[in-house]
Amino acid sequence: YGGTIDFGGNNRWCTGYDLYYSAMHNRINHAYKIDVGDADGMQILKHWMNDHLNGDEDGGCAVFYSTVPSPDATLPAGTEDAGASVITDLNASTSHSMAILGFNDSIRYDYNGDGQYTNDIDLNGDSQITMADWEIGGIKMCNTYSGGPAWADGGFCYIMYNAIATGAFWHDIVHIMTVNPAYEPQLTAKVSITYNHRQRIKLVAGISTNTSASMPEYVLEFPIVDYQGGNRYMLGSIDDISDETIELGLDLTPLL
């Protein structure tokens, strides 16, 4: 908001009622997590991406948290989508969230170098056949942060199921959400605040059924302007006095 993707740096707060009002329409119903560290969890994720697990015409995407990756290989010649970028091994250190957009159960990578592509050989020697032994199949993800279209194949890359089973995602978890596309705010407030130390103030809205009350009966709190943001002007700078004033939009619909 307000300019280029990094306009004002990571201290800048959004200003302008119209921007806040536009965002009020973007609401979720529920957030879920899926453990994809094994084949059962991965199957659930694939059905979510295909039809939201309920027969929808369209499916959904998912978000995972990991290190900022770089493809470490390309899919071999003579196999599905040969030459495409692929991540065969990934460390789930704390760094970056990315989106999963789809899957391909036919891509292949020869982990043990035997010239075969199998999902039924114990590659890691644990006397079990699990997703950590698979050489076939993977998800497709996008990474707009690390160079956008210049990263991997136009911003897209495969990750083998094998890599996911061996710790590619933080806690082996992906996150999904169901949205509320019809949400419309019924009561809003346009608020202007001028102050020079934003971490010292908290903003709440309240109502009372008693018109002579001096305090509200019901209070609605917000995750913004809540004793946070450092000792800075409202828009984020420490030396530009024009940043003292911010204009916010608040969705007060729950108070109704």
Side-chain angles (χ1 to χ4, degrees), residues 241-255:
I241 197 168
S242 66
D243 277 359
E244 281 193 322
T245 300
I246 190 171
E247 184 181 81
L248 305 166
L250 303 175
D251 184 0
L252 305 182
T253 303
L255 291 177

Side-chain angles (χ1 to χ4, degrees), residues 176-242:
I176 63 174
M177 291 177 286
T178 57
V179 301
N180 183 350
Y183 181 82
E184 290 282 345
Q186 302 300 305
L187 178 67
T188 68
K190 181 190 289 187
V191 181
S192 180
I193 303 174
T194 300
Y195 199 62
N196 60 353
H197 291 285
R198 62 189 183 187
Q199 77 171 13
R200 300 181 184 179
I201 57 176
K202 178 179 178 67
L203 177 63
V204 298
I207 59 169
S208 176
T209 55
N210 179 358
T211 56
S212 63
S214 58
M215 295 291 288
E217 290 179 83
Y218 306 97
V219 172
L220 180 63
E221 297 188 355
F222 303 94
I224 56 173
V225 194
D226 188 8
Y227 303 124
Q228 67 197 52
N231 273 325
R232 296 175 173 273
Y233 295 155
M234 296 305 298
L235 296 188
S237 74
I238 57 175
D239 53 9
D240 185 351
I241 197 168
S242 66

